[in-house]
Amino acid sequence: MNEDSILRVEGLSTQFSTDHGLVKAVDGVSFELRRGETLGIVGESGSGKSVTNLSVLRLIQSPPGIIASGSVLFQGKDLLAASEEEVRVLRGRNISMIFQDPLTSLNPVLKVSTQIAEAIQLHHGLGRKEAKAKAVAMMKLIGIPDAERRADDYPHQFSGGMRQRVMIAMALSCDPDVLIADEPTTALDVTIQAQILELIKSMSARNKTSVILITHDLGVVAGMCDTVCVMYAGRIVERAPVDDLFEKPAHPYTQGLLDSIPRADRSGPERLYSIPGSPPNLIDMPDACPFAPRCARVMDICTKAAPPETALDEEGKRTVRCWLHSMESTNE
Amino acid sequence: MNDTEYLLDVRGLKVHFPIEKGILLKRRAGYVRAVDGVDFRIRPGEALGLVGESGCGKSTTAMAVAQLQTPTAGQVLLDGRDLAALSPQELRAARKDFQIVFQDPYSSLDPRQKAADIIAEPLRIFAKRGIITMDDAEIQSTALSLMDRCGLSASFATRYPHEFSGGQRQRIGIARALALGPRLVIADEPVSALDVSIQSQILNLLKDLQKDFNLTFLFIAHDLAVIEYFCTKIAVMYLGRIVETADSATIASNPMHPYTKALLSAAPLPDPAKERSRRRIILKGDVPSPSVEHRGCPFRERCPEAMDVCALSAPVLKPVGEGHEVSCFLYGEG
Ligand SMILES: Nc1ncnc2c1ncn2[C@@H]1O[C@H](COP(=O)(O)OP(=O)(O)OP(=O)(O)O)[C@@H](O)[C@H]1O
Ligand SMILES: Nc1ncnc2c1ncn2[C@@H]1O[C@H](COP(=O)(O)OP(=O)(O)OP(=O)(O)O)[C@@H](O)[C@H]1O
Ligand SMILES: [Mg+2]
Ligand SMILES: [Mg+2]
């Protein structure tokens, strides 16, 4: 294990039992997060990004959910084997999460500043007055206009974008070791998004905070991340340093995603590339590559067995799950 | 002035929503100036993209153009005829020529109707009113061929909206909008709710349909890259007004309004090297409220290049080049 490693997820599988069958939402996911690193998790809707990170924090509701296997090592301690209480403390103190849906994660009957102040009190052990002052300062920092006056507002009086920024303020005010941000800016305008991402970036640089950034926007990934995991159908199909991923995508799915984006920065082709078909149903997945039915480079073997994870470099920084690449390596 | 050069000619369009205070005795406390004097024109076969931040009035503009929202002021000329001045009967007949596609494919489809019936519904209504002549068999076969044209297999005809994915539902919405053979399609964020791989499928479909049926588009999105890809011209909107308009290529290469520049610089590029090297214009503050009356330029408080004159009066759109108009004092006095 790397010296610098702060969080290591190994073979994580999470499933939901539904009326239609067992949904394998996350299926054997492994990744490592180093101190100060920003790791992007990209993938289309339903690919398992949120469930992966909710599993890491042990926030999967059971039933219907169950973490079927795997380990989550935070500074060497397995969160999946730890007690409920230990995990709760870690969540407040060491790992913060910004949820995808800000409205449901704020308390509607508490003033905005009170909620931020509570998070600060909990973490820094400050008095109420000081905590409130810090909360207001934090609101200013995240660009809430007229912060002093708006501190006494309730969540419903804030716009969606402002609520999202309050969530971010709460997460940041705890100086966490790890920040998990699930689509933190998806609901926001680009100019506001730029403000928020800048904020997360500078905080991460200042405090050496490690960040897991979940998004489906490859542009955001390009600007924010050091390393990227591409998820498809509950699996990480490609993992790479950010420059490599954009320069030489190894998985046909990654390639397809990159070719599908309209580009403002260069004139592209008359027609965009589009990956045919739609994502698979996660119930009763066959033992095959889940991308095979949509893949332009599909081979016989792809429909007969799921490809193993193959390292593309010595240090194992680049991996891919694709028969095109595992055919080349002989040790499989 | 040659009116017929443009299929759609919107002049001085305003939509103000009254704000009412008080529970028993309602009194008017002011107005939300959602659309506050908008002018634009679209030639037949062209696609004009309307871009801007949340709340700037894009959807309200679309609704007013489609006459689903009564304008407070202004004209909406479709092929030279003012839609806002038509009688309800005339308007109903005229609707054949313009149709709207909405952002959320789910909430805009009737959950109790089967896909083919949803697509056929406008035909049925117009046939019943005697605006078009079609019997049931013709209507059914038109609906099926539209499904086929929009990439929906015939076996989907009897399925309900909840049985479809987001992209498929958007295809149903598009097929329905095309049923009456409109000349103008108003598409309000038609791909914003979709994943990139599905988004590119729908964008390609819309482009093909545009060619095949010579459609004219008013296309709304908040993603500049999507707009640049799909549209020949772009109008940038801020707080109920258009602040800059030009060809897509001109907006991309030579943006002039400080807000357009900020929008362009904030849009994330899928290129790590470019992202590292670019200088981003970070705007301060939020989009201001459209219920406050602004003296001076509405962008002034957030503008990195604001001058004294900007507080005194509001700039108007002025030509700065071939087909390029900007509303900003940096390029001459209002
Ligand atoms: N409580 C649940 N019961 C059943 N299935 C679930 C439940 N929660 C999630 N899933 C399924 O797990 C899969 C992964 O969901 P997840 O929310 O992680 O996707 P995501 O990648 O975060 O997508 P998005 O981009 O839409 O947020 C999906 O197929 C989803 O339907
Ligand atoms: N029926 C209404 N009554 C009062 N105010 C309204 C009404 N409809 C819209 N508004 C207001 O008008 C302004 C413009 O709204 P509109 O929906 O046109 O914005 P938009 O540009 O489409 O935003 P988005 O990108 O979020 O869709 C907003 O401030 C909105 O709150
Ligand atoms: Mg999610
Ligand atoms: Mg809108």
Side-chain angles (χ1 to χ4, degrees):
Chain A
M1 185 150 143
N2 193 308
E3 275 283 292
D4 260 355
S5 166
I6 186 155
L7 187 75
R8 189 183 173 91
V9 174
E10 203 65 67
L12 181 71
S13 293
T14 304
Q15 304 167 350
F16 295 94
S17 48
T18 70
D19 292 345
H20 305 283
L22 195 65
V23 175
K24 292 193 171 171
V26 173
D27 195 9
V29 158
S30 307
F31 62 85
E32 183 176 61
L33 182 68
R34 281 170 292 128
R35 197 171 289 282
E37 178 184 38
T38 298
L39 174 82
I41 300 185
V42 283
E44 292 185 81
S45 190
S47 58
K49 306 182 295 295
S50 295
V51 171
T52 297
N53 286 283
L54 290 171
S55 305
V56 164
L57 290 175
R58 287 250 308 258
L59 290 171
I60 295 293
Q61 202 179 351
S62 174
I66 152 168
I67 299 178
S69 62
S71 61
V72 174
L73 299 176
F74 174 74
Q75 293 178 328
K77 183 176 187 62
D78 188 357
L79 300 188
L80 298 187
S83 74
E84 200 56 59
E85 176 60 20
E86 284 175 300
V87 177
R88 210 182 51 76
V89 170
L90 275 178
R91 277 203 297 263
R93 201 156 280 171
N94 305 89
I95 311 179
S96 294
M97 178 142 180
I98 302 169
F99 293 93
Q100 196 166 355
D101 181 359
L103 191 51
T104 55
S105 14
L106 286 172
N107 186 338
V109 300
L110 279 185
K111 287 174 186 169
V112 168
S113 60
T114 312
Q115 301 193 46
I116 305 176
E118 273 182 1
I120 293 170
Q121 268 179 291
L122 203 74
H123 186 71
H124 295 282
L126 293 178
R128 276 188 56 187
K129 261 232 171 89
E130 291 158 288
K132 164 123 194 228
K134 190 163 182 215
V136 173
M138 206 65 207
M139 286 172 71
K140 275 192 193 145
L141 190 65
I142 54 167
I144 304 276
D146 219 354
E148 277 96 355
R149 192 174 57 77
R150 305 218 54 170
D152 291 334
D153 279 359
Y154 292 89
H156 74 266
Q157 292 169 287
F158 275 30
S159 71
M162 278 165 35
R163 282 196 289 258
Q164 189 61 314
R165 276 183 271 173
V166 170
M167 287 296 303
I168 292 165
M170 284 168 65
L172 297 190
S173 56
C174 302
D175 300 328
D177 299 308
V178 176
L179 173 69
I180 301 180
D182 192 350
E183 308 267 8
T185 56
T186 304
L188 306 180
D189 283 316
V190 284
T191 58
I192 311 285
Q193 166 170 287
Q195 288 176 15
I196 303 273
L197 294 179
E198 206 58 41
L199 198 69
I200 293 178
K201 223 181 195 168
S202 62
M203 173 211 63
S204 157
R206 196 173 51 237
N207 304 344
K208 278 216 137 213
T209 313
S210 309
V211 180
I212 297 180
L213 182 67
I214 303 173
T215 174
H216 59 258
D217 188 332
L218 285 158
V220 169
V221 167
M224 292 288 291
C225 301
D226 305 304
T227 311
V228 190
C229 293
V230 180
M231 281 193 83
Y232 189 79
R235 305 164 197 196
I236 291 177
V237 295
E238 178 162 7
R239 185 156 49 89
V242 70
D243 290 286
D244 296 345
L245 188 95
F246 283 84
E247 218 167 279
K248 313 187 275 301
H251 199 287
Y253 175 64
T254 314
Q255 177 80 57
L257 275 188
L258 288 172
D259 291 345
S260 302
I261 329 172
R263 300 284 297 255
D265 56 329
R266 59 172 193 225
S267 51
E270 238 318 274
R271 279 178 76 80
L272 292 170
Y273 176 76
S274 72
I275 305 173
S278 43
N281 184 344
L282 299 176
I283 299 172
D284 296 330
M285 293 262 287
D287 181 26
C289 170
F291 189 59
R294 306 175 73 188
C295 184
R297 304 178 65 186
V298 64
M299 304 172 294
D300 253 4
I301 187 170
C302 308
T303 58
K304 297 201 177 99
E309 181 170 88
T310 311
L312 297 179
D313 61 1
E314 300 277 292
E315 312 97 86
K317 278 189 177 159
R318 285 209 74 172
T319 62
V320 64
R321 274 176 191 275
C322 174
W323 283 116
L324 285 170
H325 298 277
S326 17
M327 299 301 249
E328 294 157 15
S329 66
T330 44
N331 53 350
E332 274 306 326
Chain B
M1 198 184 302
N2 182 0
D3 282 339
T4 49
E5 193 186 330
Y6 299 102
L7 180 68
L8 182 69
D9 186 346
V10 173
R11 298 179 185 176
L13 186 70
K14 288 189 184 182
V15 181
H16 292 181
F17 297 106
I19 306 171
E20 279 167 353
K21 280 241 172 88
I23 298 162
L24 289 176
L25 283 173
K26 287 222 164 64
R27 63 192 166 77
R28 197 146 293 165
Y31 289 95
V32 177
R33 295 170 172 76
V35 179
D36 204 19
V38 156
D39 300 81
F40 59 86
R41 292 166 293 279
I42 317 179
R43 290 199 167 82
E46 248 183 14
L48 173 80
L50 203 54
V51 68
E53 286 177 283
S54 183
C56 72
K58 304 179 296 292
S59 295
T60 309
T61 302
M63 298 293 271
V65 168
Q67 302 299 313
L68 296 171
Q69 166 68 53
T70 314
T72 310
Q75 293 177 301
V76 177
L77 305 173
L78 187 70
D79 222 359
R81 208 154 64 122
D82 187 2
L83 297 179
L86 297 183
S87 72
Q89 256 148 324
E90 289 172 317
L91 181 61
R92 251 181 266 148
R95 285 200 181 281
K96 207 165 76 57
D97 290 330
F98 58 94
Q99 290 289 314
I100 191 161
V101 175
F102 295 96
Q103 164 173 7
D104 181 355
Y106 200 53
S107 62
S108 60
L109 302 179
D110 180 351
R112 290 152 311 183
Q113 279 198 358
K114 295 176 185 140
D117 293 332
I118 290 174
I119 296 163
E121 191 183 32
L123 293 167
R124 292 218 171 89
I125 293 171
F126 274 66
K128 211 162 123 196
R129 289 191 188 136
I131 301 167
I132 56 169
T133 40
M134 261 185 163
D135 61 29
D136 275 358
E138 280 174 290
I139 288 175
Q140 185 68 13
S141 75
T142 307
L144 288 178
S145 81
L146 278 165
M147 285 187 70
D148 180 53
R149 188 63 201 79
C150 292
L152 294 161
S153 98
S155 65
F156 290 168
T158 54
R159 291 204 198 165
Y160 292 93
H162 75 266
E163 297 175 78
F164 291 101
S165 68
Q168 288 168 332
R169 287 196 285 254
Q170 198 54 292
R171 288 174 195 271
I172 297 173
I174 292 166
R176 177 181 58 182
L178 294 183
L180 291 164
R183 304 174 65 194
L184 174 71
V185 175
I186 301 156
D188 188 1
E189 311 254 12
V191 296
S192 305
L194 306 174
D195 272 325
V196 277
S197 79
I198 310 299
Q199 170 177 299
S200 70
Q201 292 174 1
I202 298 293
L203 285 173
N204 282 337
L205 171 66
L206 288 172
K207 262 214 162 154
D208 293 344
L209 295 169
Q210 182 184 20
K211 266 200 211 106
D212 294 358
F213 300 110
N214 192 32
L215 295 173
T216 306
F217 273 94
L218 173 59
F219 189 101
I220 294 171
H222 57 260
D223 184 338
L224 253 172
V226 166
I227 290 259
E228 273 176 23
Y229 169 73
F230 193 79
C231 302
T232 34
K233 294 187 107 184
I234 297 179
V236 180
M237 209 168 162
Y238 189 81
L239 215 61
R241 295 178 203 182
I242 289 172
V243 296
E244 180 162 8
T245 174
D247 294 340
S248 302
T250 307
I251 293 280
S253 61
N254 185 27
M256 293 180 82
H257 197 284
Y259 178 63
T260 313
K261 289 183 190 170
L263 265 190
L264 275 169
S265 92
L269 298 175
D271 182 330
K274 277 188 193 159
E275 278 287 321
R276 272 192 293 270
S277 64
R278 78 203 290 220
R279 206 178 52 84
R280 207 159 246 150
I281 305 166
I282 303 277
L283 290 180
K284 289 190 200 76
D286 264 313
V287 184
S289 158
S291 56
V292 181
E293 192 155 8
H294 291 271
R295 220 180 126 206
C297 175
F299 185 56
R300 170 172 48 101
E301 287 100 5
R302 297 173 79 198
C303 182
E305 299 180 67
M307 308 171 291
D308 289 344
V309 54
C310 307
L312 301 176
S313 63
V316 293
L317 272 178
K318 290 211 148 175
V320 289
E322 182 64 33
H324 191 173
E325 294 182 328
V326 181
S327 155
C328 176
F329 288 126
L330 286 171
Y331 309 101
E333 298 287 302

